[in-house]
Amino acid sequence: VTDVTKSENNVGALNFTKTLSNKIDLSSYLIFSGSKNENRVETTNDYILPDNSFLETVTNTGAIHKKLGLGKVKLKYVPNTLEQWSLDIMAKGTDNTDQTSILSIINTGEQSFTSLDDSEEIYLNGNVEWHKKLSAKHAFSSSANFEYDKSSANTFWDTNRAISEGFVPLEPDDIYRLELLR
């Protein structure tokens, strides 16, 4: 059972279409969304064993934050009946964070484990076109495309106990961190 302590969702959108002149049309849209969800679960486990009974208190918390932005712009220019220009640009960006923490307390001993997944993405693409009609049988067309795509994702794990004791020699410390960088 997950107890949601906070849940917040936001969405916004904008659509714009305008004839700027008898030769130029512009249309665009923007969409934004964001969500924040946080949860907390507390459990108590009573281990009854023949030789050693003990009580464990576990606190599990989590937070997921997501953001998305999406937009498109289209511009069309028709200077005369024989020629046409168009420009299309589309952009998308995301920013996502997922964090989980577990704290286990047995008697007076504590063990903590935290994970953090963090990712971002930016994507942009576009197209420019030109069309020219020379006669009923002849025409020119030209097109250029571009694309930009950048993404990063990092994952971190923190714990107060050494991981892989005996396999990897570690200096004693308060927090041990593993990182997966992509």
Side-chain angles (χ1 to χ4, degrees):
V1 175
T2 300
D3 294 325
V4 175
T5 58
K6 181 178 183 179
S7 182
E8 182 181 307
N9 295 289
N10 298 302
V11 176
L14 174 67
N15 185 34
F16 180 79
T17 302
K18 177 81 174 163
T19 299
L20 302 175
S21 72
N22 62 347
K23 297 179 181 187
I24 301 174
D25 290 323
L26 173 67
S27 63
S28 64
Y29 67 83
L30 297 170
I31 301 170
F32 295 99
S33 73
S35 66
K36 294 180 182 181
N37 294 296
E38 297 176 6
N39 59 63
R40 180 180 181 95
V41 176
E42 294 179 0
T43 58
T44 302
N45 301 313
D46 193 359
Y47 296 95
I48 302 170
L49 304 172
D51 296 340
N52 183 17
S53 296
F54 60 93
L55 193 66
E56 176 190 34
T57 303
V58 179
T59 304
N60 189 335
T61 58
I64 299 173
H65 297 197
K66 294 184 177 191
K67 295 177 191 171
L68 167 70
L70 179 67
K72 185 170 184 176
V73 175
K74 184 171 186 172
L75 184 66
K76 185 174 177 183
Y77 173 58
V78 183
N80 55 56
T81 58
L82 301 176
E83 187 174 10
Q84 176 179 316
W85 289 83
S86 67
L87 170 67
D88 290 316
I89 298 174
M90 199 271 299
K92 177 178 87 167
T94 61
D95 184 5
N96 300 315
T97 304
D98 185 353
Q99 183 173 3
T100 303
S101 296
I102 300 170
L103 175 62
S104 170
I105 300 172
I106 299 174
N107 299 327
T108 59
E110 289 187 5
Q111 182 171 2
S112 66
F113 184 81
T114 301
S115 69
L116 174 65
D117 291 322
D118 188 18
S119 65
E120 294 180 351
E121 180 182 4
I122 298 172
Y123 177 77
L124 178 70
N125 76 349
N127 178 305
V128 178
E129 291 184 10
W130 170 67
H131 305 282
K132 175 86 175 184
K133 188 173 183 179
L134 298 176
S135 66
K137 294 184 179 183
H138 297 90
F140 284 115
S141 288
S142 179
S143 177
N145 299 305
F146 61 90
E147 180 176 85
Y148 175 79
D149 191 0
K150 180 183 176 187
S151 62
S152 65
N154 300 313
T155 303
F156 303 96
W157 297 278
D158 293 335
T159 183
N160 65 340
R161 298 249 177 113
I163 298 172
S164 302
E165 273 186 89
F167 294 114
V168 179
L170 299 173
E171 294 292 322
D173 205 343
D174 293 334
I175 295 291
Y176 299 92
R177 171 169 272 194
L178 295 174
E179 298 182 19
L180 175 62
L181 305 174
R182 299 177 285 233

